[in-house]
Amino acid sequence: MIIAEIALVSLVGGFISIDRTAAFQVMLSRPVVTSPLIGMMLGDVMTGIQAGLVIELLWIGSLPVGASVPPDETIVSILVPSLAIWQGRITDGAGFQILALALILTIPLAILARRLDSGIREKNISSAHAADNFARQGSVDEVERECLSGLKRFYAGYTLLIFFSLLAAAVIFPYLYALLPAFFLKGLERFYYLLPLIGLASLMASTRIKNSIKLFFLSFVVVFSLFEVI
C-alpha cells in the first residue's frame, strides 16, 4: 500500500516540481497549494493544509526568480505532509510534533534539490545550443525534441529524488519518532507554533513596504487563528 502511494506521490510530485522553474510557473508548486494536494491524494487534506501554511510562511520571501534558486520549497511541501500522514496512521493522528520533525528532517533535501536544479540547468545548456543550431537549419521537429528533453530531465530528476527520499524516510521516520522521549516531542510541538513567527520575520526582513509592522502583525493573527480553527 505505502509503496504504491510513494510511487504515486513521486510521479505527481515530479510534475508539480517542474512548475517551480522549468515550465508553467502557475504557482502550483507553492507550498500552500502543493501540500494540500498531497494531503488530498493521501486522504488527509487537513494535515496538508497545516503543513502548507507553515512552509509557505517560511519560504514566502524566497522566490526562484531568474538565476536565483533558493532551497527547494516544493520538495519539502511534498515530503512533509506525506511523512506526517503516514506516521499519523501509526500514532492515530498527525500531531504538530510530527509535522515539526518531518520539516526538520526534510530541510537538507531542499538544499539537495537546489543542487539538482542547478545541475539540470547546466545540462540543458547543451540542449539550448543544439536547439539553436537546428533552428538555423529549419529543423522544427529537432528543436521541439531538444526543448522537451530539458523538461524530461527536470521531471525524471525530481521524480527519482522524491521517490528515493520518500522510500528512505518512510522506513527511517517511524523508528526515529519512536525513539524520541516525551519531553522532546513536546518541544517539537512548541517549535511548530514558533515557525510562523520565523516565517514572518524572514518576510519582514525582505520587504520595504510602508506600515509593514501592522501588516505582519495582522498576518500573524490570521495565520494563528487558522491554526486554532484547524
Side-chain angles (χ1 to χ4, degrees):
M1 177 65 177
I2 195 170
I3 294 297
E5 288 183 335
I6 289 174
L8 178 61
V9 170
S10 301
L11 292 171
V12 174
F15 178 78
I16 292 174
S17 294
I18 64 175
D19 173 75
R20 185 171 184 261
T21 59
F24 314 132
Q25 293 185 311
V26 294
M27 298 300 176
L28 179 65
S29 58
R30 294 305 301 173
V32 75
V33 179
T34 298
S35 288
L37 283 176
I38 298 300
M40 182 173 63
M41 288 171 52
L42 299 178
D44 189 347
V45 179
M46 202 58 66
T47 296
I49 293 173
Q50 291 170 341
L53 285 172
V54 169
I55 299 169
E56 183 69 43
L57 278 174
L58 291 175
W59 261 271
I60 200 168
S62 302
L63 295 174
V65 180
S68 173
V69 184
D72 196 314
E73 74 283 354
T74 304
I75 193 168
V76 176
S77 306
I78 294 168
L79 296 179
V80 170
S82 300
L83 294 177
I85 290 169
W86 290 331
Q87 182 63 34
R89 294 173 185 172
I90 300 173
T91 57
D92 194 25
F96 291 158
Q97 70 274 15
I98 295 176
L99 284 167
L101 180 61
L103 179 61
I104 292 170
L105 293 179
T106 54
I107 290 294
L109 290 171
I111 300 172
L112 179 61
R114 177 176 63 180
R115 293 182 178 177
L116 174 66
D117 185 289
S118 299
I120 294 173
R121 289 187 185 207
E122 291 179 5
K123 285 283 187 182
N124 285 349
I125 291 174
S126 60
S127 292
H129 291 322
D132 286 339
N133 292 330
F134 287 128
R136 295 189 190 98
Q137 299 168 15
S139 302
V140 177
D141 291 341
E142 294 299 328
V143 172
E144 181 180 348
R145 181 179 64 82
E146 291 297 335
C147 291
L148 289 176
S149 67
L151 279 179
K152 290 176 182 176
R153 289 190 190 102
F154 271 105
Y155 181 74
Y158 275 103
T159 299
L160 290 173
L161 178 60
I162 293 168
F163 179 82
F164 287 111
S165 298
L166 284 175
L167 191 62
V171 174
I172 296 171
F173 194 89
Y175 290 103
L176 176 62
Y177 183 80
L179 290 174
L180 296 177
F183 76 89
F184 193 88
L185 295 177
K186 198 67 175 178
L188 285 173
E189 185 176 359
R190 296 290 182 264
F191 175 67
Y192 178 84
Y193 280 100
L194 290 176
L195 290 173
L197 283 175
I198 298 173
L200 289 173
S202 174
L203 181 57
M204 188 181 297
S206 64
T207 188
R208 298 293 181 268
I209 62 175
K210 190 178 180 181
N211 295 324
S212 59
I213 298 294
K214 296 177 183 178
L215 176 61
F216 290 122
F217 178 76
L218 178 61
S219 300
F220 175 74
V221 171
V222 171
V223 172
F224 190 80
S225 299
L226 284 175
F227 285 152
E228 291 302 313
V229 171
I230 290 171

